[in-house]
Every structure is written in C-alpha cells, then in structure tokens.
Amino acid sequence: MRNCVSVHPHAKINLHLEVGKKRADGFHEIRSLMQEISMCDDMTVKLSHSKECNIKVLGANIGVDNSLSKAHCVFGRITGLRFGLEVSLLKKIPIGAGLGGASSDAASLILAMNALLGTQLSEEVLASIALEVGSDVPFFLKGG
C-alpha cells in the first residue's frame, strides 16, 4: 500500500446538451454528450495520521462544503474505513465554467483513495460513490 499518489483531473466539454423538464428535486432532466479534454488540475493525495481530509488549494477558493470533502466522507462511509488525507490541489480548470473541474477532482480523489488504501473496489461500487458526490462524477472515473 502506497501513501502518496499524484493525479491530473481533466476537464470536459459538452458537445451536446438538451435540457428537459424540471424534476421534483429541482434539477432538470438532461441529455448530454461529453468529451474529456487535455486541460487539467494537478493533485497530490497523501494518507495522514488524522481522520480528516485536509485540503490545500492553489489558484482558487473551493470553500468547506466541496466535492473533495464529500468524496472523502462518502468513501469512508461506504467502505467503513476511517482515515485521513492531505490533499494538495493546483486548480487550473476555471471554477463555474461548466468544465467539470470539481467533479473531475472528486473522481480523481475517489480513485486515489482506492489505490492508497488498497480497497480494490469494483467499478460498480466506485460509480455508486461517485454518483453520491455528484451526477457527472461517474463520467470522470473513466473519462473519454
């Protein structure tokens, strides 16, 4: 089991987007065709002795209620593991530009936790964790 990984979460663009009717939860049904692009953030993830997810971000302010903290929480709940992380993130994907930066960061963190902790979770379990974090997070587990 390693204690540090570096990942490069990629942005995406929507090649096609159809917005449908509003659902009961306040969100709209959509049909979308997405493509991963080369623009990416840089993230280093290390296991720590604390039980918390400490995040240091250069290039943006992501706030305390963010996709990385949520991914750490959901991963821990699903696996039953309590562990701490030190996450260093260099944001190069613009926030709020529709490029999926937060979702991509969360998906990369989920994959990093799976590798660091040696949990060997199935694609289905990883996708269920990703979906709890955000609706387009599962796309970034494989990209494309």
Side-chain angles (χ1 to χ4, degrees):
M1 182 166 53
R2 303 181 297 190
N3 81 346
C4 179
V5 314
S6 292
V7 293
H8 305 284
H10 286 264
K12 57 92 176 157
I13 56 171
N14 289 309
L15 299 173
H16 175 78
L17 179 63
E18 262 179 62
V19 180
K21 65 181 181 174
K22 197 171 193 177
R23 304 183 316 204
D25 62 5
F27 291 97
H28 286 85
E29 294 288 337
I30 67 162
R31 292 177 56 108
S32 179
L33 177 61
M34 297 183 285
Q35 173 65 53
E36 186 177 76
I37 61 174
S38 60
M39 179 186 295
C40 64
D41 292 338
D42 296 320
M43 183 189 313
T44 302
V45 184
K46 296 179 185 178
L47 291 176
S48 75
H49 295 291
S50 77
K51 300 297 181 205
E52 307 204 358
C53 183
N54 296 308
I55 304 165
K56 294 180 183 158
V57 182
L58 291 164
N61 179 5
I62 64 169
V64 294
D65 185 26
N66 59 70
S67 64
L68 297 174
S69 296
K70 190 170 184 180
H72 176 256
C73 181
V74 174
F75 193 97
R77 182 175 48 77
I78 297 291
T79 61
L81 299 173
R82 290 187 37 93
F83 59 94
L85 296 175
E86 296 289 333
V87 179
S88 296
L89 176 63
L90 174 59
K91 283 297 293 171
K92 296 188 272 184
I93 302 170
I95 293 176
L99 298 173
S103 296
S104 182
D105 292 341
S108 289
L109 182 61
I110 291 166
L111 294 172
M113 290 184 288
N114 195 41
L116 287 170
L117 297 164
T119 48
Q120 300 179 3
L121 299 177
S122 69
E123 288 183 13
E124 293 80 20
V125 172
L126 293 170
S128 70
I129 293 169
L131 191 56
E132 276 196 56
V133 177
S135 59
D136 62 349
V137 176
F139 167 79
F140 290 104
L141 292 176
K142 288 190 170 187

